[in-house]
Amino acid sequence: MSEREASSGSAALTVALIGPTHPYKGGVAAHTTTLAHELSEAGHDVTLISWSHLYPSALYPGEQAVPGGAPDVEPFPRTLRVLSWARPDTWLRAGRRLRDVDVIIVVHVIPAVVPAHLALLRAAGVGHATRGASPATGPRTILIAHNVLPHEGHPGSRQLVESMLNRVDAVVVHSDEQARLAATLGAHHVRELDLPPHL
């Protein structure tokens, strides 16, 4: 329980959820948006920090937005689209704004976005405790890894993902295979949760 929770007598948390949402298409964006709604309905103070420019076009040459502009899932009202893959200053500014939240949840999509996530967490003051050393500092951190590593291997992907898994306090995956892979890559605490049939 944080000092904020103790002083208010409430178990509600301030949560920053980092991930894609509308107008981006696909299951990950829909899952992220639905998660923001669910956490808010559970009584938590949630802000969804999303992307104005998510993928480099060289890595994702197809259409990234929902066709026709209609959202797959009702947009979350407290959404800030402040992150740009091409603007590292946006990663740092967003992270500095999150220094006082209780929990940062990062949605892991592809390794190319890991540098942005790592910079954001560092700017938020996140410092993972090493075994036998001083306690962790800053907000607690959870990584939701829909796929720990991409299906297609790219040079450096494994090292980027490993650095991310070692930075966060806990990792959520959706299968036994992904749980084993996350643990192999150094995740400190892995929890397997089935994907809900929310669509």
Side-chain angles (χ1 to χ4, degrees):
M1 177 180 291
S2 70
E3 291 178 18
R4 186 181 298 111
E5 293 166 357
S7 63
S8 67
S10 169
L13 299 171
T14 55
V15 178
L17 175 59
I18 316 296
T21 188
H22 181 75
Y24 292 102
K25 66 180 182 179
V28 173
H31 181 274
T32 301
T33 308
T34 301
L35 178 59
H37 283 292
E38 294 287 335
L39 289 169
S40 181
E41 289 169 14
H44 301 296
D45 179 9
V46 180
T47 302
L48 175 52
I49 310 292
S50 195
W51 300 83
S52 61
H53 176 209
L54 176 54
Y55 298 118
S57 56
L59 293 179
Y60 197 106
E63 179 61 41
Q64 297 181 33
V66 175
D72 290 331
V73 174
E74 179 185 348
F76 186 69
R78 291 186 61 190
T79 299
L80 303 175
R81 291 175 184 84
V82 296
L83 299 172
S84 170
W85 184 87
R87 296 271 314 273
D89 59 305
T90 65
W91 317 341
L92 300 175
R93 276 202 305 273
R96 284 193 288 266
R97 292 184 193 137
L98 303 181
R99 286 181 173 265
D100 294 327
V101 302
D102 295 309
V103 180
I104 298 174
I105 302 172
V106 177
V107 177
H108 172 61
V109 184
I110 60 172
V113 184
V114 167
H117 290 155
L118 289 172
L120 185 148
L121 292 178
R122 183 176 295 274
V126 170
H128 198 284
T130 55
R131 288 173 180 84
S134 59
T137 59
R140 304 303 285 171
T141 51
I142 300 167
L143 182 77
I144 298 176
H146 292 282
N147 285 302
V148 174
L149 288 172
H151 300 300
E152 313 82 23
H154 298 287
S157 292
R158 189 177 187 91
Q159 291 80 2
L160 281 170
V161 172
E162 189 171 5
S163 64
M164 187 71 196
L165 295 175
N166 278 279
R167 169 63 62 174
V168 297
D169 297 306
V171 178
V172 174
V173 296
H174 306 303
S175 72
D176 288 338
E177 176 190 0
Q178 293 294 298
R180 286 191 296 272
L181 179 56
T184 299
L185 293 175
H188 299 282
H189 178 75
V190 181
R191 178 83 187 268
E192 180 191 338
L193 297 173
D194 292 335
L195 274 170
H198 58 75
L199 300 179

